Amino acid sequence: MSNLENALKVLELAKGHDRWRSSCLNLIPSENVTSKYVRLALLSDLGHRYAEGKPYKRFYCGTRFIDEIEVLAIELAKRLFKCKHASVKPISGTISNLAVFAALTKAGDTIMSLSISCGGHISFAEIGAAGIRGLRVVDLPFNSREMNVEVDEAVSLVERVKPKLVVLGASLFLFPHPVNELSRAVGEVGGHVVYDGSHVLGLIAGGAFQDPLAEGALMLMGSTHKTFPGPQGGIVLSNDEEAMDRVEEALFPGLTSNHHLHRVTALAISLAEMLEYGEAYAKAIVENAKELAKSLHERGLKVLCPHKGFTESHQVVLDVSEIGGGRWAAKTLEEANIIANMNLLPWDSLDRARDPSGLRLGVQEVTRLGMGKDEMNFIAEKIEQVLVKRESTSKVRREVEEFTSRFREVKFCFEGSRAYDLLESLAS
Ligand code: DSN
């Protein structure tokens, strides 16, 4: 194939991807879709430019507009998360975590965090960013029935281990973590709680989950594209000026040179959207997650934590080990255009990562497309048809395609003809 043919083929593949995934029920808890205004920013010339350094103190010329945008993004972030300091420099959630590790620890220090099977993100692990910083990682004790940190045991372990940091937050994340209790315990031994809020950032923004900074965390790190419906990227928030200065230095000149200016612009817009719509959006997400969990449970699926109302976040977690396993379940749902994660559960060892016991679902994206309780029951019914009744996946796929064709418009965001006009002029 010629180079042109290859380029055209790539575009066709991208188009095919767009068409397919917009006809799916997208239930991966770490994804979301952005508004037209946000997409517009991502298409703009800002994505071609450099702006190393701080606003108005750059090492590059040509940055007068990005200076203003970045200052505005920081102001909007501080307002939304009710905190004193914000950095919009991290280009991902993992870079946010690594910057915080770099700022607050030195190689050889010990931190405590959840293991991967118990929901800890790979960046908290010795095989991930924590290990790259040279940290020793001790697992936080976890209660699998409660799907949460085992507080008393964790406090005793903190007293013995004396970690520099306790990292809370997770990728498998159903209930608020004990920030208050562990902040007090780790404070006694001279350390801090830092909180990776990647999964629940939109819920925190909308006041529908715990507020880690108010509860005692020194830092709130996150990615900005899960329940927070912004561009792919990261953010760090804090009330501590001195610690935040160190994080800024870790980010530049430490971990990033340029910080992707179209992303910063898109993030500023999504921060404004969340100031406007965040409360309603976050509330709808949690209501939908509870409804989906209840409906799946009533259909005989093994949803975790029925004694706790299943979930207080965007996630619903199922143990599918008795009906084919996580790999089979996720692959078979995919044949029906239902996209979900296979997931390790706390009782799985790491070597089961490719065929774990669990299935992890998130409702943040379908909620953003305007789905409510009735639609959660429809989704539960389709999952039951595939996983329990073993109905033909092509039949279910046709039903899913027809259903999703009615939910293509992004809600909880600024819309209107002006966005369409601007989008068209940029795309032409
Ligand atoms: N850990 C990934 C997830 O939760 O899907 C994101 O980094």
Side-chain angles (χ1 to χ4, degrees), residues 168-169 173 179 193-197 200 204 209-210 212 217 219-221:
L168 293 179
F173 204 178
V179 176
V193 162
V194 296
Y195 185 106
D196 181 344
V200 291
I204 294 170
F209 205 70
Q210 67 189 146
M219 295 279 161
L220 167 58
M221 303 83 78

Side-chain angles (χ1 to χ4, degrees), residues 326-395:
R327 183 183 180 78
W328 170 81
K331 284 279 169 209
T332 313
L333 286 170
E334 188 188 57
E335 286 171 18
N337 274 14
I338 300 171
I339 312 294
N341 283 124
M342 59 176 171
N343 219 93
L344 289 168
L345 295 180
W347 44 91
D348 289 337
S349 64
L350 252 192
D351 57 20
R352 296 213 39 206
R354 289 184 193 281
D355 189 14
S357 300
L359 190 69
R360 186 184 71 154
L361 312 173
V363 299
Q364 71 294 335
E365 184 170 332
V366 289
T367 305
R368 192 147 159 82
L369 295 173
M371 296 187 200
K373 286 193 174 178
D374 289 348
E375 287 76 26
M376 295 307 114
N377 283 297
F378 174 89
I379 295 172
E381 183 188 54
K382 296 305 120 190
I383 292 174
E384 179 194 21
Q385 283 172 315
V386 174
L387 298 187
V388 182
K389 298 185 173 163
R390 311 272 168 131
E391 289 183 14
S392 135
T393 49
S394 41
K395 172 185 157 283

Side-chain angles (χ1 to χ4, degrees), residues 54-366:
K54 296 194 166 152
Y56 302 106
K57 294 181 196 156
R58 305 287 191 191
F59 296 93
Y60 280 70
C61 289
T63 66
R64 71 171 78 121
F65 289 97
I66 183 60
D67 287 342
E68 227 177 294
I69 291 168
E70 188 167 334
V71 167
L72 190 51
I74 291 166
E75 279 313 308
L76 291 167
K78 291 193 300 196
R79 206 183 302 161
L80 181 63
F81 291 99
K82 300 178 185 66
C83 63
K84 294 188 183 143
H85 307 282
S87 176
V88 295
K89 280 215 166 69
I91 57 168
S92 74
T94 292
I95 293 291
S96 303
N97 290 350
L98 186 52
V100 166
F101 296 156
L104 304 179
T105 65
K106 56 184 188 334
D109 283 347
T110 301
I111 65 167
M112 289 173 69
S113 62
L114 288 176
S115 69
I116 292 173
S117 296
C118 294
H121 188 245
I122 198 163
S123 59
F124 314 162
E126 286 181 13
I127 55 166
I132 286 187
R133 178 60 177 155
L135 300 174
R136 191 173 78 92
V137 181
V138 173
D139 292 344
L140 282 167
F142 193 73
N143 183 324
S144 315
R145 179 174 148 76
E146 299 300 308
M147 286 300 283
N148 212 329
V149 177
E150 183 66 67
V151 181
D152 293 342
E153 267 182 47
V155 167
S156 311
L157 198 58
V158 165
E159 286 164 0
R160 282 210 306 283
V161 170
K162 299 184 180 35
K164 271 276 157 46
L165 300 176
V166 170
V167 186
L168 293 179
S171 296
L172 190 69
F173 204 178
L174 294 171
F175 302 105
H177 280 171
V179 176
N180 207 299
E181 296 87 331
L182 287 176
S183 292
R184 263 188 275 122
V186 72
E188 297 281 317
V189 297
H192 298 280
V193 162
V194 296
Y195 185 106
D196 181 344
S198 294
H199 267 270
V200 291
L201 200 69
L203 305 183
I204 294 170
F209 205 70
Q210 67 189 146
D211 180 346
L213 293 178
E215 291 173 27
L218 180 66
M219 295 279 161
L220 167 58
M221 303 83 78
S223 52
T224 54
H225 49 264
K226 297 181 169 90
T227 53
F228 188 93
Q232 291 196 332
I235 195 163
V236 181
L237 305 149
S238 181
N239 287 316
D240 188 303
E241 185 172 6
E242 199 260 330
M244 197 64 177
D245 283 347
R246 280 190 274 153
V247 170
E248 283 285 356
E249 252 178 56
L251 285 163
F252 181 83
L255 294 167
T256 49
S257 142
N258 198 29
H259 51 294
H260 301 178
L261 312 175
H262 55 329
R263 175 194 64 77
V264 174
T265 310
L267 176 58
I269 294 167
S270 45
L271 286 160
E273 281 175 355
M274 285 299 277
L275 278 159
E276 188 75 20
Y277 301 104
E279 211 179 304
Y281 179 42
K283 185 168 175 278
I285 291 173
V286 177
E287 282 173 4
N288 277 347
K290 285 178 184 291
E291 185 67 21
L292 178 63
K294 184 163 89 51
S295 188
L296 288 166
H297 174 75
E298 284 166 1
R299 292 166 196 279
L301 283 135
K302 199 165 167 189
V303 185
L304 264 46
C305 295
H307 66 296
K308 297 181 73 175
F310 307 107
T311 182
E312 285 176 34
S313 75
H314 61 309
Q315 293 190 11
V316 175
V317 181
L318 281 71
D319 181 345
V320 289
S321 56
E322 287 163 14
I323 57 167
R327 183 183 180 78
W328 170 81
K331 284 279 169 209
T332 313
L333 286 170
E334 188 188 57
E335 286 171 18
N337 274 14
I338 300 171
I339 312 294
N341 283 124
M342 59 176 171
N343 219 93
L344 289 168
L345 295 180
W347 44 91
D348 289 337
S349 64
L350 252 192
D351 57 20
R352 296 213 39 206
R354 289 184 193 281
D355 189 14
S357 300
L359 190 69
R360 186 184 71 154
L361 312 173
V363 299
Q364 71 294 335
E365 184 170 332
V366 289

